[in-house]
Amino acid sequence: MAQVPNLDNAPINLTTIRDQSQKELITILKNVRGKKCLVIDPKLSGSLSLIVQSSQLKEHGAELRHLTAEPVETDCTKMVYLVRAQLNLMKFICSQIHNDTSKGLHREYFLYFVPRRAVACEKILEEEKVHELLTIGEYPLYLIPLDEDVLSFELDLAHKECMVNGDTTSLWHIAKAIHKLEFSFGTIQNVRAKGKASTRVADILNRMQAEEPVNTSDMGIPEINTLILLDREVDMVTPMCTQLTYEGLLDEFLGVNNGAVELDSSIMGVQQEGKKLKVPLNSSDKLFKEIRDMNFEVVVQVLRQKATSMKQDYTEISTTTQSVSELKDFVKKLNSLPEMTRHINLAQHLSTFTSKPSFLGRLDMEQTLVEAQSYDICFEHIEEMIHKQEPLINVLRLLVLLSITYAGLPKKNFDYLRRELLHSYGFEHIATLNNLEKDGLFKKQDSKSNWLTVKRALQLVVEDTDTTNPNDISYVFSGYAPLSIRLVQHAIRSGWRPIEEILKLLPGPHSETKKSGFASSPSFDTLPGSLNNSEKVAEGRRSLVLVVFIGGVTFAEISALRFLSSQEGMAYDVIVGTTKIINGHTLIQTFVE
Amino acid sequence: MAGVSVAAEWQLLYNRYYRKPELYQMQWKQVDLTRNKVACAPFGGPIAAIRDDAKIVQLFAESALRKLRIFTSSGRLISETVWKNPGGRLIGMSWSDDQILVCITQDGTVYSYDIHAELINTYSLGKECFESSVVECVFWGNGVVCINEAFGIFAVPDFKNHRAVKLADCNLEDLPHCIAVIEPQYTMSGNVEVLLGVGDHVLLVEEDGVQQLGVGIGPLQKMVVSRTGKLLASFTHDGRLLVISTDFSNIIFEYTSLLVILCATVYDEPIILIPECDGVRILSNTSMEFLHRVPDSTVSIFQIGSTLPAALLYDALDHFDRRSAKADENLRLIRSSLPEAVEACIDAAGYEFDISQQRTLLRAASYGQAFCSQFQREHIQEMCKTLRVLNAVRHHEIGIPLSIQQYKLLTPSVLINRLINAHNYLLALRISEYLGINQEVVIMHWACTKITESLGIPDASLLEILLHKLKICKGISYAAVAAHADKNGRRKLAAMLVEHEPHSSKQIPLLLSIGEEDTALVKATESGDTDLVYLVLFHIWQKRPSLEFFGTIQARPLARDLFINYAQCYKHEFLKDFFLSTGQLQDVAFLLWKESWELAKNPMASKGSPLHGPRVKLIEKAQHLFSETKEHTFESKAAEEHAKLLRIQHDLEVTTKQAIFVDSSISDTIRTCIVLGNHRAAMKVKTEFKVSEKRWYWLKVFALATIRDWDALEKFSKEKRPPIGYRPFVEACVDADEKGEALKYIPKLADPREKAEAYARIGMAKEAADAASQAKDGELLGRLKLTFAQNAAASSIFDTLRDRLSFQGVS
């Protein structure tokens, strides 16, 4: 199974999008004739593994390297840099070229920016006097299909850059990516946004549509009906909680990167001392598609059932005489054995984490924090974690939960914990604390908390959640329904209007626009904002909602969305767009300097 | 029959019919071709005329100054200008493919004019031509070859480059009989090749060599190269017509008698022949005609006595119009071949210049089509469309007599460009609209011309005039029009126009170029495109003094934040200046603090090196700056503590002679001290930084467990009643897998639930159960029971699979 996922079952034609990106990359390589050294910035290289296999790049005469501060050792006379337009990467390129010049090496340099050239980057190149040595181009990669229903803009720092540094480059990027989708799938008619960044993206998207209108006449009915934009800022509670779906837990403990986990081969039952193994995780794996969104507790049961039924089949085969067709069925079932083994291995490995008392303790604490009824217990727990010098990120995840649910900490507590943190983890974390404060994740209490009102109004804590046969999205956190997805649920069902009062309690403005001018849809009078019934049924196909998370989304939230769209009476498919797949750990990590 | 009169005008030549319909009665008055040098552009292009200074002519009531006049093909004057150019006689004059009139004078100066008789540029063929006069020029679509009195041959291979090259010297002693040129696009080398008729042979001259060809075929009086450069027609002095391939490898055919003396004989006035791709236009003083072969479709309809289906169809329409039943009879006759008859009528209509004839033929086609079940109806529509365009441009006011073949070769977009160049904007616009071609080019050109020619109109009214037309075309570049206005010195108009540009990426660079930086910054910010904001930012940065620059960006958050990001990465010192100028002292402090870490990362800064001094100084400077504002008391204290810690750590490294302290945290320092057995130092750090008893207990317990000093741990537990109970002791022992040690502390735990779990963790089920029941916690009891449930042994592979799943799930 490959890391490049199969996209044939996607609700829109994502294959063409990926093929296009692949073609553009190959064209870049072809345009530089002969042997060349392709130097890719490491993060980009991870993203590209979802588009093209490295063997394909090598076929076109490329020697592959990662861009680091160190000079590249190669015999190639042509250097092709493929980098995201980020300032810090420019220094690496400059120093490599300077290094070549000082050694008297004469090379041809090509620099391709992803997704486009950037004035600020080129300014550095000019100041370092390497600009005239470079042939500069663009590789317009704005999004990557992670799976048949997930698109990533691959902007891992978007949230921090926007919130802490005030750099909104990512917002333009997101709008551009959506606008590009519109050129393939038609103008999106309904746009609903919540949060400062989201409303801004909706606004930029509007401008882009005015500047470069999508020719609707030769496109037919737009394939994407509704766009919902949501800031991560609106719901920072959810990512701080430990995800309890199978895929979510895999990410929490093993880290899913670019649709694959990397772990010791021994865990997967391959006896190769100390060797790492990459296990792809996407819908091409039928069993994974079936269980990825389930609560891990249930996954264990399902796998057990499957194993038992196989054993039964096996017993029957060996004891009774079977017809050939029955034998054939059995052999067919055997084909799924590798997948079974793979996931049993993974699940068993996960269970070594989940059975630890410390893990159960953490879940307890998260539950208590979300319920927001016992401040002192939580505060003392966190204090103790700091004193025990537990991993900083684990501490910060809970601390952020505490701070958000109580709209900050009383000044005394705030200063005390900050001091304890600096004493325990080092003074350099003043920068981390400063970042968290700027983002509003860990701050001094300045107002009354809305959390209890929001929690109650949106029924975020659900008693007696049935994780086996779930009837609500709360199953993904065993009792907590993610706020973000509750909002999406409302937005899809009825638009913002019915929950406007609640929206006002959450950070950032909200907006809702409906584009007119699509003549062929019959104009029934419906509530503004709601998915028009006629739109849904008339064409005899499910309408499509694109939900974009600005600042990242967790696997558990994606699972919750899949759960929603699979519910009876929900006549829509959901595609998720995100700046990056995140979890509490990776999100907090961006703030640590 | 209707066709008789049509065919009567044809002339049969061998087995082909030719005809020469009159295109125009020339509108000009008193233009005598004999008195003038005339240049006619192909594709129905303009005609340039100037009194020939090589001839002695009588001046009538006219000025002695010569005038260059430019006419349409219908003889309407487009423009004129007085020829005052020095340089001696005008030797050559011709239109280029781009409809630029190229004139070459004796001294080798090249003058280029547009069709408005505006001089576009002048350049020289070089010194040699200046010294020895140019005597003859041979033009092609995009270049020219000249020969001078010294028999030097020069070429301008591309009019766009204004560059002359000298071709190889061929040591001529006399002027050649004739000259022909093979255009660069048709030669092997890609360079121009010149054929000279010299003596009884031909010389092929290139830039780097001369070749002798076709010895004995001449002498040649005249040579002409075919359109594709493959064939050469030549006329020998003994009256033979030869067609030879241009490499002279074989003679295609040869006539000894004169065949084509078709026109000259019947004209009693001077004429000029204008070659076209499908015929030749014949210009006389009074008229223009188009000599061409009668197309096959036309022949099939109008040839006298034709009974071909097309002719019958045409005839049927005539009967139909006269309500004669014979129409039906005709149709029956040709039923099976009706489609081809229709096709022929459509085709023939295309070749007609006479509008009523076109109409009749199309009606015939349309009549026939009605009886065809399967016929591509678009053909008629397409032809109607094409003819409408052709008739419009053929109108004598416009004067572009294109045939349908010429039109197809020229392409509609080039035709539109020519109309634009001739300032026939309305027609160009209508044709673009009619053919569904983007009108942007037309409107853009119009707007720019309008600006150039409207110096007298005030900005506001001109803006209105322009906007009125610009809005016709969605997506037109207002920025380009604005740029043109700016170039014409109308900066204010430019600013007003650029306001309407929807593309920020076009708008902003222009705003910068017209000095509207502040507007540019606002617009860039609004666009949401940070790249544009950076563009403006760097522009202002470069242009204004630092302080003014700081002031500008301080007022604009996005610009300010982007500047900070850039400067943080690349202009660190400048960033400090910025923060100081805006009074953000705490930000300067953070920068300094950060610098101190950078120093630590520096590999030169080995532990205990004198670099600690500078680090501490930086941090103290930061502390000082933090203390300036009372919102940053916490940071100030932290910085103070950090500096103190570094000093203490430095001392510790000196006394312990171990470089393991610097840059660890306070807690880590305490642990390290205890691990090293230096309890006094640990205590000193504790006191210096007022470490709480709670933290102290955790740190010391864990540190002692690390070195497995269980005695010391027990002693520590007995020092006094631990402020956080015995849990840390239990945890430390359990984590270290020291059951016996753990049992010393478990009984002392106050909470029975904690006690139960601790027993469970070291596998003492009974004690755990006891403690749990003491706590009266059923849920706890259940959970503990699960912990002890053990797997059964596995028997088969499936059992193994299943049993490996018999682990406890999450709660």
Side-chain angles (χ1 to χ4, degrees):
Chain A
M1 210 182 92
Q3 201 178 341
V4 179
N6 182 344
L7 301 173
D8 293 347
N9 293 324
I12 47 176
N13 190 346
L14 296 179
T15 315
T16 32
I17 293 182
R18 187 174 61 195
D19 288 351
Q20 176 69 19
S21 302
Q22 198 182 82
K23 215 163 66 193
E24 282 165 352
L25 183 56
I26 300 293
T27 309
I28 287 174
L29 289 183
K30 278 187 185 161
N31 284 347
V32 181
R33 293 192 167 274
K35 248 189 89 195
K36 60 226 127 195
C37 185
L38 180 63
V39 188
I40 311 180
D41 91 67
K43 273 188 191 162
L44 179 63
S45 144
S47 313
L48 290 180
S49 65
L50 287 160
I51 290 186
V52 64
Q53 278 160 353
S54 57
S55 58
Q56 277 171 285
L57 301 178
K58 287 178 192 151
E59 272 166 31
H60 289 89
E63 199 177 285
L64 300 182
R65 294 300 161 85
H66 275 172
L67 178 65
T68 61
E70 302 305 312
V72 177
E73 294 291 332
T74 174
D75 299 333
C76 297
T77 52
K78 290 174 177 177
M79 305 292 286
V80 184
Y81 290 99
L82 185 64
V83 297
R84 291 162 303 140
Q86 297 223 323
L87 297 174
N88 56 335
L89 298 176
M90 296 305 113
K91 285 188 183 169
F92 293 162
I93 295 174
C94 293
S95 82
Q96 294 192 350
I97 296 179
H98 286 321
N99 183 57
D100 286 355
T101 323
S102 69
K103 283 186 187 155
L105 281 173
H106 290 289
R107 285 178 164 151
E108 264 185 272
Y109 301 99
F110 300 85
L111 169 54
Y112 285 88
F113 282 112
V114 178
R116 59 167 184 157
R117 300 173 71 145
V119 173
C121 288
E122 291 188 48
K123 180 86 177 168
I124 294 182
L125 299 174
E126 274 166 25
E127 300 232 351
E128 289 290 324
K129 304 199 168 46
V130 300
H131 196 270
E132 65 272 22
L133 299 174
L134 287 159
T135 309
I136 295 181
E138 293 183 342
Y139 176 36
L141 182 69
Y142 284 90
L143 57 81
I144 289 176
L146 288 184
D147 213 323
E148 52 192 37
D149 56 353
V150 185
L151 304 169
S152 172
F153 308 117
E154 293 298 281
L155 298 163
D156 55 339
L157 297 178
H159 180 79
K160 189 213 166 195
E161 281 172 352
C162 274
M163 301 294 297
V164 178
N165 306 339
D167 178 356
T168 54
T169 305
S170 54
L171 303 187
W172 189 88
H173 179 126
I174 295 164
K176 181 76 182 174
I178 298 172
H179 193 46
K180 278 185 85 167
L181 283 179
E182 292 191 312
F183 276 103
S184 306
F185 306 113
T187 311
I188 303 172
Q189 303 298 307
N190 305 295
V191 179
R192 282 163 212 156
K194 167 65 188 172
K196 209 172 148 206
S198 292
T199 43
R200 185 76 180 112
V201 168
D203 176 47
I204 297 173
L205 182 60
N206 252 331
R207 286 178 152 270
M208 285 179 175
Q209 283 160 344
E211 283 186 17
E212 270 179 276
V214 177
N215 193 350
T216 40
S217 57
D218 49 40
M219 197 90 80
I221 303 158
E223 290 185 51
I224 304 172
N225 181 292
T226 302
L227 167 67
I228 295 171
L229 293 152
L230 200 63
D231 280 22
R232 186 73 272 174
E233 192 203 358
V234 174
D235 172 19
M236 287 305 274
V237 170
T238 304
M240 295 306 139
C241 297
T242 306
Q243 308 169 62
L244 295 177
T245 55
Y246 181 40
E247 194 173 17
L249 266 180
L250 281 169
D251 190 33
E252 295 277 348
F253 286 116
L254 307 174
V256 178
N257 285 313
N258 309 305
V261 281
E262 205 176 272
L263 25 76
D264 281 335
S265 54
S266 61
I267 295 166
M268 298 310 287
V270 184
Q271 293 309 329
Q272 257 179 313
E273 234 4 79
K275 209 157 168 234
K276 289 277 181 187
L277 197 71
K278 231 180 190 182
V279 181
L281 294 169
N282 55 49
S283 308
S284 312
D285 175 342
K286 292 280 163 326
L287 180 59
F288 185 64
K289 189 176 180 178
E290 184 187 336
I291 60 176
R292 70 197 297 186
D293 302 320
M294 293 178 179
N295 192 298
F296 182 59
E297 220 178 344
V298 184
V299 169
V300 172
Q301 292 162 18
V302 169
L303 289 176
R304 190 181 293 137
Q305 268 165 23
K306 282 185 189 284
T308 316
S309 94
M310 256 195 162
K311 190 188 170 190
Q312 259 165 23
D313 289 349
Y314 180 74
T315 332
E316 276 168 33
I317 287 283
S318 49
T319 54
T320 55
T321 43
Q322 304 273 310
S323 72
V324 177
S325 73
E326 278 167 317
L327 278 174
K328 210 172 131 194
D329 284 347
F330 175 71
V331 173
K332 215 184 240 169
K333 274 188 194 166
L334 274 184
N335 286 339
S336 65
L337 201 58
E339 292 184 350
M340 285 278 292
T341 318
R342 178 187 306 144
H343 291 291
I344 286 170
N345 281 326
L346 284 173
Q348 192 196 18
H349 185 58
L350 277 187
S351 74
T352 59
F353 298 100
T354 56
S355 57
K356 277 188 192 152
S358 60
F359 175 72
L360 301 174
R362 188 165 120 201
L363 292 189
D364 263 352
M365 190 42 58
E366 284 172 9
Q367 193 73 29
T368 317
L369 280 161
V370 167
E371 277 169 15
Q373 307 282 15
S374 343
Y375 177 83
D376 290 341
I377 292 177
C378 300
F379 178 81
E380 279 161 23
H381 181 89
I382 293 167
E383 181 194 17
E384 191 181 298
M385 285 174 85
I386 298 171
H387 289 161
K388 287 157 81 174
Q389 289 183 289
E390 289 196 11
L392 176 64
I393 307 253
N394 293 358
V395 177
L396 292 179
R397 271 177 89 156
L398 293 183
L399 193 53
V400 167
L401 263 185
L402 183 70
S403 177
I404 297 171
T405 47
Y406 286 94
L409 272 61
K411 181 161 176 9
K412 213 180 125 206
N413 288 171
F414 178 60
D415 282 349
Y416 169 70
L417 284 187
R418 281 203 292 171
R419 182 169 175 273
E420 295 296 302
L421 282 166
L422 293 181
H423 277 201
S424 294
Y425 300 97
F427 285 100
E428 64 272 26
H429 287 295
I430 187 82
T432 310
L433 294 178
N434 195 29
N435 288 342
L436 289 171
E437 193 177 349
K438 272 192 192 163
D439 195 26
L441 291 179
F442 175 43
K443 56 172 191 174
K444 204 164 61 194
Q445 206 165 48
D446 49 11
S447 58
K448 209 181 147 294
S449 166
N450 297 321
W451 177 249
L452 287 176
T453 323
V454 172
K455 187 187 83 173
R456 203 175 320 109
L458 293 176
Q459 289 172 295
L460 299 183
V461 175
V462 180
E463 300 293 330
D464 307 321
T465 299
D466 181 355
T467 50
T468 317
N469 297 303
N471 55 9
D472 185 70
I473 56 171
S474 62
Y475 86 92
V476 299
F477 288 99
S478 297
Y480 162 66
L483 165 59
S484 54
I485 310 304
R486 269 283 190 268
L487 292 177
V488 174
Q489 197 176 359
H490 281 280
I492 294 178
R493 199 193 296 147
S494 49
W496 291 141
R497 191 167 291 176
I499 52 164
E500 249 172 0
E501 289 310 310
I502 299 296
L503 287 179
K504 280 181 195 155
L505 299 178
L506 295 165
H510 61 274
S511 71
E512 181 157 347
T513 50
K514 186 166 171 63
K515 303 228 165 66
S516 53
F518 190 64
S520 75
S521 76
S523 57
F524 285 105
D525 252 354
T526 43
L527 274 177
S530 71
L531 274 187
N532 193 322
N533 261 325
S534 60
E535 281 171 34
K536 265 186 285 184
V537 191
E539 282 94 37
R541 59 181 188 126
R542 291 159 73 83
S543 48
L544 191 60
V545 181
L546 173 62
V547 185
V548 171
F549 294 89
I550 301 178
V553 70
T554 60
F555 282 120
E557 285 167 295
I558 297 176
S559 294
L561 279 176
R562 289 191 185 125
F563 169 81
L564 282 183
S565 88
S566 70
Q567 288 302 95
E568 239 176 285
M570 298 289 181
Y572 53 84
D573 285 325
V574 172
I575 281 206
V576 176
T578 180
T579 46
K580 188 83 187 170
I581 299 284
I582 55 152
N583 59 41
H585 193 95
T586 54
L587 182 56
I588 295 285
Q589 188 71 56
T590 58
F591 295 101
V592 179
E593 290 199 4
Chain B
M1 296 240 318
V4 176
S5 60
V6 176
E9 289 172 8
W10 301 351
Q11 291 198 29
L12 188 68
L13 198 65
Y14 184 48
N15 57 355
R16 301 278 191 211
Y17 287 106
Y18 288 82
R19 64 177 176 184
K20 52 180 183 71
E22 182 180 89
L23 300 176
Y24 300 114
Q25 284 286 331
M26 297 310 280
Q27 293 179 331
W28 61 34
K29 289 190 184 84
Q30 297 169 345
V31 172
D32 182 352
L33 297 176
T34 50
R35 289 161 48 95
N36 285 284
K37 232 183 173 36
V38 178
C40 303
F43 292 102
I47 302 169
I50 183 163
R51 201 168 65 218
D52 195 346
D53 50 359
K55 291 178 184 159
I56 300 168
V57 294
Q58 186 185 354
L59 293 183
F60 300 101
E62 60 187 301
S63 159
L65 283 174
R66 293 192 293 155
K67 264 187 186 169
L68 172 66
R69 290 184 289 173
I70 295 173
F71 301 93
T72 65
S73 283
S74 57
R76 185 176 63 82
L77 185 68
I78 301 173
S79 58
E80 58 180 4
T81 182
V82 176
W83 181 273
K84 288 183 294 197
N85 297 324
R89 271 173 38 211
L90 178 62
I91 304 297
M93 177 168 85
S94 177
W95 292 97
S96 75
D97 284 344
D98 297 339
Q99 288 201 343
I100 303 287
L101 183 68
V102 180
C103 308
I104 299 180
T105 53
Q106 230 169 349
D107 70 345
T109 313
V110 182
Y111 299 93
S112 309
Y113 288 90
D114 66 11
I115 69 163
H116 304 288
E118 301 274 354
L119 187 63
I120 305 170
N121 54 49
T122 60
Y123 53 97
S124 168
L125 292 176
K127 196 161 157 252
E128 288 177 72
C129 289
F130 185 77
E131 284 161 358
S132 315
S133 299
V134 176
V135 282
E136 199 174 342
C137 307
V138 181
F139 292 89
W140 73 92
N142 197 29
V144 63
V145 165
C146 307
I147 183 162
N148 69 3
E149 281 173 346
F151 311 128
I153 303 172
F154 302 85
V156 178
D158 184 350
F159 281 141
K160 290 183 193 81
N161 287 341
H162 306 173
R163 194 180 56 88
V165 292
K166 188 173 189 219
L167 301 190
D169 198 351
C170 34
N171 305 313
L172 295 181
E173 287 165 357
D174 212 342
L175 274 178
H177 309 301
C178 54
I179 308 177
V181 174
I182 309 175
E183 295 182 32
Q185 56 172 322
Y186 300 125
T187 63
M188 290 281 284
S189 61
N191 292 323
V192 63
E193 292 177 2
V194 181
L195 300 169
L196 302 178
V198 182
D200 67 344
H201 57 268
V202 173
L203 288 179
L204 183 136
V205 189
E206 286 177 274
E207 243 174 272
D208 46 9
V210 184
Q211 257 179 287
Q212 208 179 56
L213 297 169
V215 178
I217 61 162
L220 301 177
Q221 293 285 77
K222 190 84 192 155
M223 289 187 291
V224 180
V225 176
S226 74
R227 288 185 59 80
T228 54
K230 294 244 165 53
L231 301 175
L232 176 78
S234 56
F235 191 57
T236 62
H237 80 307
D238 55 0
R240 283 174 299 138
L241 179 71
L242 292 176
V243 176
I244 319 170
S245 61
T246 42
D247 57 1
F248 286 78
S249 56
N250 57 338
I251 294 173
I252 311 290
F253 64 75
E254 178 172 352
Y255 290 111
T256 44
S257 59
L258 285 185
L259 271 174
V260 192
I261 312 282
L262 190 73
C263 357
T265 49
V266 295
Y267 287 93
D268 49 7
E269 51 178 356
I271 58 161
I272 288 179
L273 300 181
I274 310 161
E276 294 284 3
C277 63
D278 57 343
V280 59
R281 280 186 290 139
I282 304 167
L283 173 67
S284 70
N285 286 344
T286 52
S287 72
M288 174 164 304
E289 292 164 326
F290 180 48
L291 169 66
H292 64 290
R293 224 188 79 196
V294 181
D296 294 341
S297 55
T298 313
V299 173
S300 73
I301 298 166
F302 295 114
Q303 190 177 30
I304 294 166
S306 171
T307 52
L308 288 169
L312 291 177
L313 175 61
Y314 186 85
D315 195 37
L317 175 73
D318 188 45
H319 286 295
F320 176 75
D321 285 344
R322 285 187 281 115
R323 305 181 173 214
S324 149
K326 203 145 176 286
D328 189 48
E329 199 175 302
N330 269 12
L331 279 176
R332 272 172 213 276
L333 270 174
I334 57 167
R335 171 121 296 174
S336 60
S337 40
L338 200 50
E340 68 190 68
V342 174
E343 202 64 77
C345 286
I346 298 172
D347 192 56
Y351 290 106
E352 288 304 323
F353 281 81
D354 179 55
I355 295 177
S356 71
Q357 192 62 266
Q358 292 167 1
R359 191 177 294 134
T360 319
L361 283 164
L362 285 172
R363 278 187 59 228
S366 154
Y367 177 60
Q369 183 191 259
F371 298 92
C372 294
S373 53
Q374 282 168 327
F375 189 80
Q376 304 273 312
R377 273 149 219 283
E378 303 86 70
H379 286 192
I380 291 190
Q381 287 166 15
E382 203 53 45
M383 184 54 79
C384 290
K385 239 181 188 179
T386 308
L387 283 175
R388 282 218 171 94
V389 173
L390 287 178
N391 292 337
V393 297
R394 284 170 187 168
H395 188 273
H396 60 80
E397 275 301 307
I398 306 294
I400 304 179
L402 282 176
S403 72
I404 189 160
Q405 268 171 297
Q406 292 162 21
Y407 170 68
K408 283 182 178 154
L409 198 65
L410 190 67
T411 72
S413 60
V414 176
L415 174 62
I416 287 166
N417 272 328
R418 294 197 166 175
L419 289 171
I420 293 170
N421 279 336
H423 294 184
N424 286 317
Y425 293 113
L426 188 59
L427 183 60
L429 190 69
R430 294 270 185 272
I431 292 179
S432 311
E433 193 182 358
Y434 187 59
L435 296 179
I437 295 172
N438 195 347
Q439 293 159 285
E440 185 171 340
V441 197
V442 185
I443 305 231
M444 181 66 73
H445 198 283
W446 169 83
C448 292
T449 313
K450 187 83 193 167
I451 292 170
T452 316
E453 289 178 353
S454 309
L455 289 175
I457 306 179
D459 290 333
S461 11
L462 184 53
L463 178 74
E464 206 161 305
I465 296 169
L466 291 172
L467 288 182
H468 184 68
K469 293 279 192 300
L470 288 173
K471 74 179 177 215
I472 297 174
C473 190
K474 228 178 173 184
I476 199 164
S477 171
Y478 286 81
V481 184
H484 185 84
D486 186 44
K487 219 163 52 193
N488 278 265
R490 301 190 71 157
R491 185 152 279 195
K492 206 172 146 220
L493 178 66
M496 289 153 102
L497 275 166
V498 79
E499 181 69 28
H500 293 268
E501 171 62 54
H503 285 83
S504 319
S505 55
K506 289 183 187 163
Q507 187 182 38
I508 282 148
L510 193 73
L511 282 168
L512 291 178
S513 77
I514 62 174
E516 298 273 338
E517 288 99 6
D518 294 297
T519 321
L521 192 52
V522 175
K523 295 273 178 197
T525 309
E526 278 172 10
S527 79
D529 185 346
T530 46
D531 203 43
L532 290 175
V533 181
Y534 267 126
L535 183 74
V536 182
L537 197 67
F538 290 131
H539 189 92
I540 301 179
W541 190 345
Q542 206 161 31
K543 221 172 146 186
R544 299 185 187 171
S546 296
L547 273 181
E548 198 186 328
F549 169 65
F550 291 155
T552 311
I553 58 171
Q554 180 63 4
R556 312 228 158 253
L558 181 58
R560 184 197 60 210
D561 289 345
L562 290 178
F563 163 74
I564 293 172
N565 275 321
Y566 177 80
Q568 222 150 24
C569 180
Y570 199 72
K571 292 268 174 183
H572 218 243
E573 289 306 310
F574 196 61
L575 184 58
K576 269 188 231 166
D577 292 347
F578 170 70
F579 284 142
L580 284 172
S581 83
T582 53
Q584 291 160 274
L585 298 182
Q586 70 282 4
D587 288 308
V588 182
F590 274 120
L591 280 180
L592 292 171
W593 209 345
K594 221 176 240 172
E595 269 175 45
S596 85
W597 294 312
E598 297 297 325
L599 274 182
K601 278 187 217 156
N602 189 335
M604 294 298 288
S606 57
K607 309 269 156 111
S609 81
L611 271 172
H612 286 152
R615 283 191 66 193
V616 172
K617 282 220 179 68
L618 278 173
I619 299 170
E620 280 172 345
K621 222 159 137 192
Q623 185 243 320
H624 183 74
L625 286 167
F626 278 129
S627 66
E628 297 273 318
T629 44
K630 71 171 191 287
E631 291 85 17
H632 296 90
T633 325
F634 178 83
E635 285 82 358
S636 168
K637 269 195 189 141
E640 192 183 343
E641 282 190 323
H642 191 194
K644 190 157 78 178
L645 177 65
L646 275 174
R647 285 214 178 85
I648 291 175
Q649 287 173 331
H650 182 66
D651 292 346
L652 278 169
E653 290 191 350
V654 171
T655 51
T656 60
K657 299 197 176 59
Q658 297 201 64
I660 49 171
F661 287 98
V662 169
D663 279 327
S664 62
S665 68
I666 292 174
S667 293
D668 287 338
T669 306
I670 291 174
R671 278 207 203 195
T672 314
C673 287
I674 296 172
V675 166
L676 291 175
N678 194 343
H679 291 274
R680 260 191 55 201
M683 190 50 100
K684 187 179 171 241
V685 175
K686 176 190 180 245
T687 340
E688 278 291 342
F689 296 101
K690 299 191 182 69
V691 171
S692 67
E693 284 291 305
K694 280 191 211 170
R695 177 142 55 96
W696 170 252
Y697 261 79
W698 279 107
L699 291 174
K700 186 158 178 179
V701 167
F702 279 8
L704 290 173
T706 314
I707 48 170
R708 309 185 86 83
D709 190 345
W710 307 118
D711 293 340
L713 185 67
E714 193 171 353
K715 217 174 110 197
F716 181 48
S717 78
K718 287 174 179 160
E719 254 178 35
K720 62 174 181 187
R721 198 185 147 68
I724 43 171
Y726 291 91
R727 205 157 43 85
F729 295 88
V730 175
E731 272 188 33
C733 297
V734 171
D735 287 347
D737 230 0
E738 288 286 343
K739 261 197 199 177
E741 292 300 323
L743 279 173
K744 287 181 186 163
Y745 309 107
I746 296 179
K748 294 184 181 173
L749 288 171
D751 184 354
R753 306 159 103 251
E754 275 183 12
K755 215 185 274 181
E757 287 193 45
Y759 277 125
R761 280 186 67 193
I762 57 170
M764 295 172 70
K766 192 180 163 295
E767 286 79 357
D770 286 348
S773 54
Q774 200 184 336
K776 297 194 181 76
D777 188 333
E779 187 256 321
L780 178 66
L781 206 59
R783 208 165 68 211
L784 292 175
K785 201 174 150 195
L786 259 178
T787 319
F788 288 105
Q790 280 308 308
N791 311 354
S795 57
S796 72
I797 176 175
F798 295 108
D799 270 341
T800 323
L801 287 179
R802 196 189 59 192
D803 290 342
R804 282 168 66 182
L805 291 162
S806 314
F807 42 71
Q808 183 207 342
V810 295
S811 67

